[in-house]
Amino acid sequence: MKIRKDDTVLVIAGKDKGKKGSVRQSLPKESRVVVDGVNKVKRHMRPRGTVRQAGIIEREAPIHVSNVMLLCTKCNQPTRVSFRFLEDGSRVRVCRRCGEVID
Ligand SMILES: [Zn+2]
């Protein structure tokens, strides 16, 4: 996965297209991410069992990583990501626009 928790991403498809937000959760198995304030769905909760909060609550639903682009922390542009290996063998992400290491 090119997107990780706490990354800032730009939504490029869907009803929240153009929104920016930080990644709250990444779900690598499903190739999805939960982004703050993006893809909100209303859920009707009933006070049952452990759920204390009743009524209609809004929460973010996961969206597919192909619908977001990583915002580079260096050049502040939405970018695609490539990988590079450092001398110590660790893998880092690299911005394809400015060539800077993002991690
Ligand atoms: Zn960049």
Side-chain angles (χ1 to χ4, degrees):
M1 281 266 284
K2 291 172 177 175
I3 311 284
R4 292 176 198 165
K5 192 171 182 287
D6 297 328
D7 280 344
T8 304
V9 294
L10 173 72
V11 180
I12 54 168
K15 64 171 183 162
D16 289 315
K17 190 172 173 178
K19 273 194 193 170
K20 291 173 189 174
S22 78
V23 175
R24 198 188 278 170
Q25 197 185 347
S26 97
L27 309 160
K29 276 185 202 155
E30 301 164 48
S31 294
R32 285 169 188 273
V33 288
V34 177
V35 184
D36 233 359
V38 169
N39 202 26
K40 283 207 163 174
V41 290
K42 288 196 171 71
R43 309 207 64 180
H44 299 254
M45 304 296 282
R46 249 171 237 281
R48 186 192 293 158
T50 54
V51 183
R52 282 190 216 104
Q53 178 85 47
I56 305 166
I57 60 157
E58 277 194 302
R59 56 172 298 188
E60 291 89 355
I63 59 170
H64 200 259
V65 284
S66 65
N67 292 339
V68 301
M69 276 184 101
L70 182 64
L71 278 176
C72 175
T73 50
K74 301 282 164 25
C75 63
N76 241 342
Q77 297 288 313
T79 183
R80 289 190 294 150
V81 175
S82 60
F83 290 104
R84 186 191 293 163
F85 288 91
L86 300 179
E87 282 128 40
D88 65 359
S90 63
R91 193 177 71 161
V92 293
R93 295 178 299 173
V94 176
C95 172
R96 289 215 203 167
R97 273 181 202 265
C98 64
E100 292 284 340
V101 171
I102 293 171
D103 295 273

